[in-house]
Amino acid sequence: MDKVKRPDKRAERSRRTREKVVEAARELFVAQGYGATSLQEVADRAGVAVQTVYFVFRNKRTLFKDVVDTSIAGDTEPVATMDREWFRAACAEPTAAGQLRAHVHGTREILGRVAPIMPLIEAAAATDPEIAAQWPDGPDPRYTVQYAAAEALAGKPDTRPGLSIEMAADLLFGLLSPQLYLIFVRDRDWSPDTWEEWARTALTSQLCADPGSADGRHDGPPARNAGG
């Protein structure tokens, strides 16, 4: 008879400890800033020994990177955004309107976690070269995700005629940015529900054909000029 595989209790304890430390660090970084937060404070908030924090993360910079990565993903699993179930399901929607509805909802979940720490990333990177080096110059990963979403939109029956992938990617990248999310939700006190409905409506009006016109044309954004 096959042996029943027992759960690895040690691995599970290690995972839970890591999650507690990351969550504690996130709360403290948001509340008082990266520079003002000590690993001892993180350990106290997480209910673990500070030696445990050093053992798992080695230093505060590595812990900060974990906080950022976990905020984007929503968990500690090493799965890229484009391989996440919500993103793949959104891209698989048969219509552009359906994809945008699912994509904006999934992006809202990420922005709710990531947007509050964006100012921390900028501040920490400006004062700590080693942190800045963790996000090297190159293609913005967020643009890469939005470009993939734009590619999935192309060719769907209700996509606005003549819309280029580049223009669609630009609009997704701009309207679904953490900066714009913070302006509305943090600065103007919009609810996340209100922001989601606005973003979905705005993107649908720009990226989908106008169902009220005879030829499906839509007065959307001008063609993207390759020269800027």
Side-chain angles (χ1 to χ4, degrees), residues 149-211:
E151 287 183 310
L153 278 171
K156 290 186 176 178
D158 55 333
T159 300
R160 185 170 62 81
L163 179 70
S164 69
I165 292 174
E166 290 76 13
M167 176 57 74
D170 285 353
L171 289 168
L172 290 168
F173 182 72
L175 268 68
L176 301 181
S177 68
Q179 294 83 358
L180 198 55
Y181 179 89
L182 285 175
I183 287 174
F184 288 129
V185 176
R186 181 194 63 189
D187 299 343
R188 302 309 309 156
D189 203 28
W190 284 21
S191 71
D193 284 344
T194 299
W195 176 87
E196 180 178 342
E197 179 61 20
W198 168 80
R200 183 194 65 77
T201 301
L203 285 168
T204 299
S205 71
Q206 294 292 296
L207 302 180
C208 294
D210 185 352

Side-chain angles (χ1 to χ4, degrees), residues 100-180:
L100 288 171
R101 181 179 297 277
H103 184 73
V104 171
H105 180 72
T107 303
R108 168 202 164 169
E109 297 296 315
I110 293 176
L111 290 176
R113 299 187 299 266
V114 172
I117 66 172
M118 290 301 295
L120 299 177
I121 297 173
E122 295 170 0
T127 58
D128 190 331
E130 292 189 42
I131 284 184
Q134 294 182 12
W135 288 279
D137 293 335
D140 189 322
R142 196 172 64 79
Y143 183 81
T144 301
V145 170
Q146 302 301 356
Y147 192 91
E151 287 183 310
L153 278 171
K156 290 186 176 178
D158 55 333
T159 300
R160 185 170 62 81
L163 179 70
S164 69
I165 292 174
E166 290 76 13
M167 176 57 74
D170 285 353
L171 289 168
L172 290 168
F173 182 72
L175 268 68
L176 301 181
S177 68
Q179 294 83 358
L180 198 55

Side-chain angles (χ1 to χ4, degrees), residues 84-96 98-104 106 149 152-153 156:
R84 294 268 165 178
E85 178 59 32
W86 75 265
F87 184 85
R88 296 168 72 92
C91 291
E93 286 283 341
T95 65
Q99 180 184 340
L100 288 171
R101 181 179 297 277
H103 184 73
V104 171
L153 278 171
K156 290 186 176 178

Side-chain angles (χ1 to χ4, degrees), residues 9-27:
K9 293 183 178 180
R10 179 178 296 180
E12 179 61 20
R13 284 197 302 270
S14 177
R15 183 188 65 79
R16 288 200 302 266
T17 296
R18 189 181 192 93
E19 288 178 349
K20 286 196 302 182
V21 172
V22 168
E23 181 57 31
R26 184 181 191 280
E27 293 172 357

